[in-house]
Amino acid sequence: MVNKPIQKARVRFKDCDPMGHLYNTRFIEYMLEAREDLLLSHYQFDLMEYAHTTKCSWVITKHEISYLREAKRNEIIVLDSRLISFDEKRLKVEYQIWNENQTQLKCLLWTDFLHVDLMTKKPCNHSEEVMGKLEEMLEGIGEETMVERVMVL
């Protein structure tokens, strides 16, 4: 598979506090939206279509986040994400936000997801097909904690 494309975004006025810094909650929204776009454009995996056809989806169970530098109004930021682990029912995705030159890490987020049956609202196993797709997407990392990962990056 070809390398993932990087995704760029402009920090919008409406997403910033009075000092012109991106709100902490919007960091998360920017990252989740960028990941959804990446899944569709790079992996041809449509989350809405998947939920519609399988009646299953993923729900967020945990965020672990490190805010390292502010993102400023009108700044171009680079968003990167990767699947760093998974099992029969769970995923862990890493998200990074960098400055435009990718020389300063602004934010690192690890998010845990649980695969659920939308009809019963209970956890369910990934299908063999999804397990295969997840294996293709996996970009394992060596670090086991957020602190270690921040130090490496």
Side-chain angles (χ1 to χ4, degrees):
M1 180 161 294
V2 242
N3 288 336
K4 296 187 315 232
I6 61 168
Q7 297 166 277
K8 292 187 176 186
R10 181 176 305 280
V11 176
R12 299 296 176 187
F13 174 83
K14 68 180 179 63
D15 299 327
C16 294
D17 65 21
M19 293 185 301
H21 298 152
L22 184 63
Y23 286 116
N24 286 356
T25 56
R26 293 297 289 154
F27 270 97
I28 295 170
E29 290 174 16
Y30 275 43
M31 290 184 273
L32 292 173
E33 290 167 359
R35 181 67 183 176
E36 185 175 0
D37 291 346
L38 177 72
L39 288 172
L40 189 55
S41 67
H42 188 68
Y43 296 109
Q44 294 73 51
F45 192 84
D46 184 332
L47 291 171
M48 292 300 292
E49 179 64 24
Y50 177 78
H52 178 73
T53 58
T54 66
K55 306 296 185 241
C56 294
S57 191
W58 291 270
V59 296
I60 294 170
T61 59
K62 179 179 148 189
H63 285 306
E64 186 175 358
I65 192 163
S66 290
Y67 297 103
L68 304 165
R69 295 198 181 352
E70 73 275 358
K72 298 176 184 164
R73 181 176 32 246
N74 214 30
E75 179 180 4
I76 301 296
I77 54 174
V78 174
L79 300 118
D80 192 7
S81 63
R82 63 194 38 76
L83 175 66
I84 59 173
S85 68
F86 71 93
D87 64 24
E88 299 81 24
K89 293 180 182 160
R90 292 174 183 77
L91 307 174
K92 184 181 286 284
V93 177
E94 176 182 270
Y95 304 85
Q96 301 171 6
I97 293 183
W98 295 83
N99 66 335
E100 187 173 17
N101 301 336
Q102 293 182 272
T103 56
Q104 290 185 331
L105 181 63
K106 294 181 175 286
C107 185
L108 180 68
L109 170 69
W110 284 357
T111 300
D112 293 349
F113 294 88
L114 180 64
H115 194 240
V116 296
D117 181 309
L118 296 173
M119 305 311 285
T120 65
K121 312 280 192 276
K122 294 185 179 186
C124 61
N125 286 346
H126 295 122
S127 67
E128 286 184 33
E129 179 184 349
V130 169
M131 290 293 280
K133 190 75 166 168
L134 294 173
E135 189 62 45
E136 289 175 26
M137 292 180 196
L138 184 64
E139 296 181 48
I141 59 173
E143 299 76 38
E144 293 186 21
T145 69
M146 173 74 68
V147 172
E148 291 173 355
R149 187 66 171 154
V150 167
M151 297 305 290
V152 166
L153 293 172

